[in-house]
Amino acid sequence: MTMAPERRTDGGGMIGLVAAIGSVAAVGLGFSITLPLLALTLEDRGISSTWIGLNTATWGLAAIAITPFVSKLAARIGTAQLLALAILVLAATLPLFFLSPFWVWFVLRLVAGAAVTITFVLSEFWISSAAPPARRGVVMGVYASVLSGGFALGPVILSLTGTQGLFPFALGSVVLTLGIIPVLCGLRVAPKLDRREKHSFGRFLFLAPAATGAALLFGTIETGAFSLLPIYGQRVGHTREMVILLGIGVTIGNILLQMPMGMLSDRMNRRTLLMIIAAFGIVGAAILPLVAASFWPLMIALAIWGGVIGSLYTVGLAHLGSRFRGSDLAAANAAFVFCYSLGGLVGPATLGVAMDIWNPHGFAAGLGLFFGAYLLMLIIRMGRARRAQNLP
């Protein structure tokens, strides 16, 4: 599945970028309202953190199932049309969570997880298509920063609305629905997908493991942290009103550092930079239990840590872009999103179990283990590459 050749003016390209980035910003905002709200609602209903993690992981299961078919669906329905439909489906499911018993939540997570995946896959395809090739890294930095901004605003909104009752669920649904407005504005410049060509993304899962591994790790950390960080905050002694704000600590540095980290990745070996980020992730995970009981030190630590590890996604995409072009890049990007989704399946469930085993600091220990595994993989890969270069 490849992007059909397009002819657009610079204005059309700009409209496309604004449409794609604007829609994903609304989805990011709605998603950042949804994840902590759902976790705290289940906590109020007496559900254990293990079951909360397993239920949250259903997002990843849905994403893994839908990713191979997104391009085919978009080819039949239209990129912008499918994107708008996915946003509306996601918005419609949110109030149903509040109204449903826990066992129904697994079905709702599957539906909402598939919708979220479609929005991110199509938005990134659209951004890649509309971005000038010479400025793709800068555009991806803007994209990541805007998305992080949406994630940061979600906890602020929850702190104002509270997490009790139907209202915050309804508000999240309204925010998500607003995401179709930029999509409709960019309808005429949306990229087309050619149904006549078929390219599987499966073989790209292992061709650039530094990039796909970064997506896997980032999906694990982001989904797990956003869903369980409020619970971790409560268990170390912070109030409900304060723990909702912890998500801001993770994302505020992410907003500020995406473009600088993207520019840095253009000036040094990206595998080396990813190694540095992973090592920093281990250090940050080790520091969390030391500062967790004090709110502002915890917020500062989360801001610095979140800003650096958030660049896993940006640098991973940049590394992927340096390896592939054209239809290969489209297939590789699908593999990248697939790995991110797989992380969303693994992360919340594993961190939930870790918190039950070592309450509450199993959360930080689990994060450190994930970063350590990725760092070990990079060290092995780079060692093999050096040995291969030294062969006669």
Side-chain angles (χ1 to χ4, degrees), residues 281-305:
I282 296 173
V283 173
I287 291 175
L288 282 182
L290 303 178
V291 300
S294 302
F295 180 76
W296 285 111
L298 177 59
M299 283 285 284
I300 293 170
L302 288 173
I304 298 172
W305 184 70

Side-chain angles (χ1 to χ4, degrees), residues 49-383:
S49 59
T50 295
W51 277 108
I52 294 173
L54 289 172
N55 183 253
T56 305
T58 312
W59 292 100
L61 184 63
I64 290 170
I66 196 65
T67 301
F69 306 104
V70 173
S71 295
K72 294 179 181 178
L73 289 172
R76 292 181 178 276
I77 299 174
T79 301
Q81 291 85 346
L82 181 59
L83 179 57
L85 178 62
I87 293 172
L88 289 176
V89 169
L90 182 60
T93 60
L94 188 52
L96 297 179
F97 280 101
F98 178 78
L99 301 172
S100 302
F102 179 58
W103 67 268
V104 178
W105 282 46
F106 286 92
V107 178
L108 293 174
R109 292 271 196 182
L110 286 171
V111 174
V116 166
T117 303
I118 290 172
T119 62
F120 282 110
V121 170
L122 294 183
S123 295
E124 289 180 6
F125 275 143
W126 196 342
I127 292 167
S128 295
S129 175
R135 299 179 181 177
R136 184 167 284 118
V138 175
V139 169
M140 293 310 302
V142 172
Y143 159 69
S145 295
V146 170
L147 182 59
S148 298
F151 272 105
L153 285 176
V156 174
I157 292 174
L158 280 181
S159 71
L160 298 174
T161 64
T163 59
Q164 307 290 333
L166 180 61
F167 179 70
F169 289 86
L171 179 62
S173 180
V174 171
V175 170
L176 287 166
T177 302
L178 294 176
I180 69 169
I181 296 176
V183 177
L184 297 177
C185 291
L187 197 63
R188 293 185 178 181
V189 297
K192 309 297 181 183
L193 288 167
D194 190 348
R195 282 181 287 177
R196 295 172 298 177
E197 299 184 39
K198 298 178 181 179
H199 296 279
S200 171
F201 70 90
R203 66 190 181 96
F204 291 94
L205 290 172
F206 305 103
L207 288 180
T212 52
L216 177 64
L217 177 60
F218 187 68
T220 300
I221 301 304
E222 184 180 52
T223 308
F226 264 93
S227 59
L228 295 174
L229 184 58
I231 296 174
Y232 178 68
Q234 284 192 149
R235 292 188 181 183
V236 297
H238 300 297
T239 65
R240 169 67 65 92
E241 291 74 18
M242 299 303 285
V243 300
I244 293 172
L245 299 176
L246 291 177
I248 298 175
V250 179
T251 56
I252 192 67
N254 201 7
I255 296 171
L256 299 175
L257 291 180
Q258 290 314 294
M259 292 185 65
M261 292 295 287
M263 294 174 64
L264 181 61
S265 74
D266 290 333
R267 290 166 169 77
M268 65 179 293
N269 185 287
R270 291 191 176 96
R271 290 193 185 94
T272 301
L273 181 56
L274 288 169
M275 287 181 64
I276 294 172
I277 294 170
F280 192 88
I282 296 173
V283 173
I287 291 175
L288 282 182
L290 303 178
V291 300
S294 302
F295 180 76
W296 285 111
L298 177 59
M299 283 285 284
I300 293 170
L302 288 173
I304 298 172
W305 184 70
V308 175
I309 67 170
S311 60
L312 282 168
Y313 200 87
T314 302
V315 177
L317 278 176
H319 180 60
L320 205 67
S322 69
R323 292 286 308 274
F324 305 107
R325 293 290 185 273
S327 61
D328 284 347
L329 179 58
N333 186 73
F336 190 86
V337 174
F338 179 89
C339 289
Y340 173 86
S341 303
L342 182 60
L345 176 64
V346 172
T350 305
L351 293 177
V353 172
M355 287 180 70
D356 280 343
I357 293 173
W358 180 19
N359 184 25
H361 297 305
F363 176 78
L367 293 174
L369 289 174
F370 284 128
F371 280 109
Y374 178 66
L375 179 60
L376 180 61
M377 183 274 291
L378 287 178
I379 292 172
I380 293 172
R381 284 281 301 177
M382 294 185 72

